[in-house]
Amino acid sequence: MVEFKPAGDSALVISFGEVIDENVNRKVHAVARAIEEASPQWLIEVVPTYSTVYVYYDPFMVSYTEVAEAVKHFLSAEPDEEKSRIVEIPTVYGGEFGPDIEFVAQYNGLSVDDVIDIHSKPLYRVYMLGFTPGFAYLGGMDEKIATPRLEKPRLKVPAGSVGIAGKQTGIYPLESPGGWRLIGRTPLKLFDPRKDPPTLLQPGDYVKFVPISEEEFWELYRGGQDND
Amino acid sequence: MIELLQVPSLLTVQDLGRTGYRKLGVPVSGVMDEVSARLANYIVGNPDNAPVLEFLLAGPTIRFNASAVFVIAGDVGVKLNGVPIEPWRSYWAKRGDVLEVGTLRSGLYGYIAFAGGIKCERLLGSCATYTRAGLGRPLKAGDRLTLGYVLLTGKEGRVLPRELRPDYLAKEKVIRVILGPNLDHFTEHGIETFLSETYTVTPESDRMGYRLDGPAIEHSEKGADIVTDAVPIGSIQVPANGKPIIMMADAQTTGGYAKIGVVARVEVPLVAQSRPGERLRFKAVSVEEAHELLRRREKMMTAIKAFLNGELRAYRIKTGGEELIAFAEVEKE
């Protein structure tokens, strides 16, 4: 079931099958962490995704076969018993911060308050980070608020925007173009290259959206800027 | 300090990239052509990773506000105070001198290295510019850059012989790739197409990726999309239209298109220097072969560095009508 494959001459992929599944993903993070902690000399870095672990190695120090042999020992790593970190994301829903929330409500035959309620209830698992620095692939959104992407993507989505695309939800860490339905915005900085780690969320974390008012948003926003 | 007087195209500060943050979605970035940039650094006596200026096609005009030793790497015309000078040779510039770099005759990216490197704010351990996340920004006219302090004596007048310079003029480039890791998303016919046909670099290519045009590569019943996983530099993604995209220095760290192969690291500079309209073919090699090629290249890089530092002597030799360079140790007294 577990497969090793080369991804070029400087990376080995440990594949646990092509699935989006919480248990598989917990295993992925456990194995990635075990390799990182052992930190063999030839290790450049590890990238855990939904169902694979990419092990980047230094080809001047080690052969592919040696890497494959070495990572076998980490496959027995077990996920932590307790849940990892829970990161609260204060979010203003609706208004200019979430211009599409009414569409999401109408599309699903709900009120705006229902959407806020449904969206802020679950603990979302951070399956992986990618796409742009600090962008989290979250799992666990209720299908009751699933909404298709915009037909024409916006040219500029502000950093911190919380959106819905199909059955997914996520936060834009940086200002960028984007086609997700925007339902709110957080004042938190999701990516700050002057911090270590530079991202607020880490793979394996859990996210909880906490509704706040506009006043609270600006207060937190200013606080965040002052800390720079 | 130097001041940029004219910046005709994309100009950025780059080093060999940012590692250790891919799992947080931060791309590696860094120079597109590792070989040219490192050679430029060797010529002015810098370490491999010293920050350099990378220009796309057309170089900048620079005024020196203090003396400095510099070199241009690339097939390009250069003038110092209006007088033509050579690329791949280091020169001493005095305060007030003006350097004009022209347009590359071949290749796509050129480099300017200064003895002592360029001072920059290291973000996440690197000076590599990745504009999208606010890790540096493209440079513009009027920008001033501070150079690293270094004893300049002896760094000028070093030249890299023509035979040792990268040659990016090939009509049709053969790029070695390691097949996979998503081979099960392609039919045998699709893999055959990829390895036997010729692909053309399109104008929709940038530091993030090179889009290619050519015969469509057929996907298997699993289709073009995969469950999003990682994207090493050199990954060749094939979206539903069957046209390959080679992921380059600024590529996103993860992606959802099936990868038919990954370009051998040793070939990434060759891909980087391919202009829109140029043609590429792909040849499958094993990981072991790719490692061997990489080791051979590094031996050559080490020899060139020693030669430029005066620790090795280089001789032109002719074998079978081909001119080669041989290295020999300099005898110590």
Side-chain angles (χ1 to χ4, degrees), chain A residues 5-11 13 18-20 36 44-52 54 56-60 62-65 128-135 137 174-177 191-199 201-203, chain B residues 18-28 121 123-124 130 132-135 178-185 208 222 225-233 252-255 259 262-266 287-288 290-291 294-295 297-298:
Chain A
K5 290 182 279 190
D9 53 28
S10 307
V13 191
E18 235 190 285
V19 288
I20 299 179
E36 263 182 359
I44 305 288
E45 58 190 302
V46 179
V47 178
T49 71
Y50 279 111
S51 59
T52 62
Y54 273 61
Y56 289 90
Y57 61 86
D58 180 351
F60 295 105
V62 74
S63 73
Y64 173 79
T65 328
M128 59 185 280
L129 258 53
F131 179 53
T132 56
F135 181 89
Y137 290 82
L174 307 164
E175 184 185 275
S176 65
F191 177 73
D192 184 346
R194 287 179 179 79
K195 287 198 176 133
D196 197 12
T199 58
L201 301 174
Q202 316 285 328
Chain B
R18 188 173 276 116
T19 49
Y21 298 96
R22 273 184 268 212
K23 70 167 180 180
L24 303 178
V26 184
V28 176
E121 187 188 8
L123 292 167
L124 308 178
Y130 177 63
R132 208 169 161 182
L135 298 160
I178 294 104
L179 291 177
N182 307 123
L183 270 193
D184 51 339
H185 282 259
M208 197 167 169
K222 286 192 159 184
D225 292 356
I226 56 166
V227 170
T228 302
D229 76 356
V231 175
I233 290 173
Q252 58 191 78
T253 57
T254 61
K259 296 176 282 284
V262 182
V263 172
R265 215 162 106 177
V266 74
V287 178
E288 290 72 25
H291 285 177
L294 204 51
R295 271 195 295 271
R297 182 190 78 186
E298 284 314 295

Side-chain angles (χ1 to χ4, degrees), chain B residues 196-213:
Chain B
S196 59
E197 298 288 348
T198 301
Y199 290 87
T200 309
V201 179
T202 72
E204 295 90 54
S205 298
D206 57 19
R207 285 186 43 93
M208 197 167 169
Y210 283 22
R211 285 170 189 266
L212 307 181
D213 201 6

Side-chain angles (χ1 to χ4, degrees), chain B residues 211-273:
Chain B
R211 285 170 189 266
L212 307 181
D213 201 6
I217 296 164
E218 189 181 72
H219 290 95
S220 68
E221 72 288 347
K222 286 192 159 184
D225 292 356
I226 56 166
V227 170
T228 302
D229 76 356
V231 175
I233 290 173
S235 292
I236 305 171
Q237 296 185 325
V238 185
N241 67 5
K243 314 282 183 187
I245 307 170
I246 309 181
M247 306 308 281
M248 300 301 284
D250 279 355
Q252 58 191 78
T253 57
T254 61
Y257 294 131
K259 296 176 282 284
I260 195 166
V262 182
V263 172
R265 215 162 106 177
V266 74
E267 307 275 33
V268 170
L270 188 59
V271 174
Q273 294 288 11

Side-chain angles (χ1 to χ4, degrees), chain B residues 27-182:
Chain B
V28 176
S29 304
V31 292
M32 289 287 277
D33 174 2
E34 196 202 327
V35 170
S36 293
R38 287 168 64 198
L39 289 174
N41 271 329
Y42 293 169
I43 295 171
V44 294
N46 287 345
D48 292 70
N49 197 31
V52 297
L53 287 177
E54 178 184 273
F55 61 90
L56 172 65
L57 212 55
T61 301
I62 294 170
R63 184 169 56 215
F64 291 87
N65 291 334
S67 61
V69 168
F70 68 90
V71 65
I72 316 295
D75 179 13
V76 66
V78 191
K79 283 180 185 167
L80 187 61
N81 298 325
V83 179
I85 58 168
E86 289 174 55
W88 300 105
R89 178 190 285 273
S90 59
Y91 293 88
W92 183 299
K94 298 182 307 298
R95 186 187 169 88
D97 283 357
V98 173
L99 171 69
E100 291 167 79
V101 183
T103 301
L104 292 170
R105 286 178 288 254
S106 64
L108 198 54
Y109 287 96
Y111 296 89
I112 310 173
F114 302 91
I118 298 163
K119 280 219 174 127
C120 79
E121 187 188 8
R122 289 170 77 85
L123 292 167
L124 308 178
S126 164
C127 291
T129 300
Y130 177 63
T131 312
R132 208 169 161 182
L135 298 160
R137 61 167 173 81
L139 300 169
K140 52 185 200 306
D143 282 341
R144 288 153 185 256
L145 300 167
T146 307
L147 305 182
Y149 174 81
V150 71
L151 206 60
L152 297 179
T153 326
K155 306 270 196 300
E156 84 279 18
R158 294 176 172 203
V159 58
L160 186 70
R162 196 165 293 276
E163 295 81 357
L164 296 175
R165 298 175 194 170
D167 177 14
Y168 297 121
L169 263 180
K171 278 207 186 78
E172 195 173 76
K173 296 169 179 170
V174 179
I175 308 294
R176 281 163 286 199
V177 298
I178 294 104
L179 291 177
N182 307 123

